[in-house]
Amino acid sequence: MTEPPRNPQVFSLKLRIRQLPRPLVEALARFLDRVLGFRRFNAIYARLPPCDTDDFARTLLAAMDVRVELSGAPRETIPLTGPLMVIANHPFGMIEGMALGALLSSLRRDVTVMVLHLLAAIPEYRDRLIFVDPRLSRKKRLQGARGWLQSRQWLADGGALAVFPAGRVARFDWRRLAVVDRPWSPHVAALARRSRVPVLPVYFRGHNGWLFQFAGMMSPLLQEAFLMRQLTNKRGTTLRAVIGRLIPPEELAAFSGDAEAIAFLRRETENLARQ
């Protein structure tokens, strides 16, 4: 039985500008599809071999010729069974989520990643990943609350959950004159502490280019619009990730509050940059 063909337009813009003629609006949408990286991703996606959710991240990275180079603690540090939370910095926006998913799925099958809502458009991801949206509309807050409940249940069932506590991609900070993560959410520490699960920090080296950072200085929404382009422009590159030590639940439980715990987890993760 042959596999049904993939949707060649998994990502596309739908513009509604009544003041302009329809052919002009359609031409503008095609132009933006190309500029934002949607067209390039669609072309890559359409040529992927058949794969299920567990293998999708590895299949996509292989098709993009993206390699992941690991250092720090050995892979054997990652527990093969039982509940586990993996946390990481967020320098690129999408590719590191796929890299984490590919790494964990190569070791165990009960893996999910908390990711940006945009990736819900990919059919292979809809039934497995947990989607959140950092924007603060009432609808998005409800989606976020549902995502946290799903995460807690996933850990309670003994699964592995990968989370980016910053929620949004790293951006240039004028005070530090560097590209850094946004503030980390204490909700992540609360989830780990209440679920009493071990936490494994992972640090990804690098950041997106300066054009992307300039877009973030102008508008966070403009920066987010270019996230798909930042995914597709990683073709043929090597991601470098550092695995940290496994932090037992008793160590997190010793903190007086979630704010202190998340500050500790951020330090543990960012200290991996020195290795």
Side-chain angles (χ1 to χ4, degrees):
M1 182 177 179
T2 60
E3 292 284 335
R6 294 181 179 276
N7 178 9
Q9 297 294 325
V10 65
F11 288 107
S12 62
L13 283 178
K14 295 178 175 60
L15 298 180
R16 295 181 178 85
I17 307 176
R18 296 180 180 179
Q19 295 83 353
L20 296 178
R22 183 173 179 179
L24 183 57
V25 173
E26 292 175 351
L28 178 61
R30 290 193 296 271
F31 170 75
L32 292 175
D33 277 344
R34 183 170 66 254
V35 170
L36 298 179
F38 289 178
R39 179 180 295 185
R40 184 181 297 179
F41 179 86
N42 290 338
I44 297 169
Y45 177 78
R47 294 194 295 268
L48 291 180
C51 57
D52 59 17
T53 299
D54 291 316
D55 295 322
F56 179 77
R58 290 198 300 274
T59 303
L60 180 64
L61 293 178
M64 293 176 60
D65 191 26
V66 173
R67 298 165 296 281
V68 182
E69 182 181 281
L70 299 175
S71 61
R75 288 164 59 105
E76 290 73 21
T77 304
I78 304 174
L80 300 183
T81 59
L84 170 69
M85 179 185 289
V86 180
I87 59 171
N89 61 320
H90 212 3
F92 304 115
M94 290 189 185
I95 195 76
E96 63 267 41
M98 294 183 177
L100 269 187
L103 169 63
L104 295 172
S105 295
S106 68
L107 300 173
R108 50 191 293 176
R109 294 306 237 180
D110 55 347
V111 176
T112 190
V113 186
M114 186 179 285
V115 298
L116 195 66
H117 66 102
L118 179 65
L119 292 179
I122 301 175
E124 287 83 355
Y125 272 174
R126 288 177 192 151
D127 296 331
R128 170 62 64 85
L129 300 191
I130 296 174
F131 302 101
V132 294
D133 192 323
R135 290 174 290 183
L136 296 179
S137 68
R138 183 175 183 273
K139 179 180 179 181
K140 301 305 180 185
R141 284 199 301 268
L142 291 175
Q143 288 180 347
R146 185 163 58 248
W148 288 109
L149 289 174
Q150 288 177 292
S151 299
R152 187 166 186 175
Q153 187 60 53
W154 189 269
L155 293 173
D157 292 339
L161 170 71
V163 184
F164 297 94
R168 290 181 171 182
V169 65
R171 62 187 297 184
F172 184 78
D173 187 319
W174 282 103
R175 291 172 297 179
R176 298 173 63 176
L177 296 179
V179 178
V180 298
D181 259 13
R182 313 285 184 93
W184 282 28
S185 172
H187 295 308
V188 174
L191 177 63
R193 280 153 56 88
R194 285 155 182 72
S195 301
R196 296 195 60 79
V197 298
V199 178
L200 182 71
V202 176
Y203 182 83
F204 286 92
R205 301 187 187 277
H207 56 74
N208 288 328
W210 292 109
L211 182 60
F212 182 80
Q213 305 305 332
F214 179 72
M217 296 175 205
M218 296 176 61
S219 165
L221 290 178
L222 178 62
Q223 189 179 53
E224 289 179 11
F226 282 97
L227 282 176
M228 186 58 68
R229 185 182 182 93
Q230 297 305 309
L231 170 64
T232 57
N233 70 11
K234 301 299 185 295
R235 294 180 70 174
T237 62
T238 298
L239 297 182
R240 293 176 172 83
V242 186
I243 300 176
R245 68 180 181 92
L246 190 66
I247 301 170
E250 296 78 17
E251 190 169 349
L252 284 182
F255 288 96
S256 60
D258 298 328
E260 290 183 7
I262 198 62
F264 163 76
L265 290 175
R266 180 166 185 169
R267 287 194 304 273
E268 285 284 306
T269 304
E270 294 182 343
N271 284 342
L272 296 174
R274 303 171 185 171
Q275 296 190 16

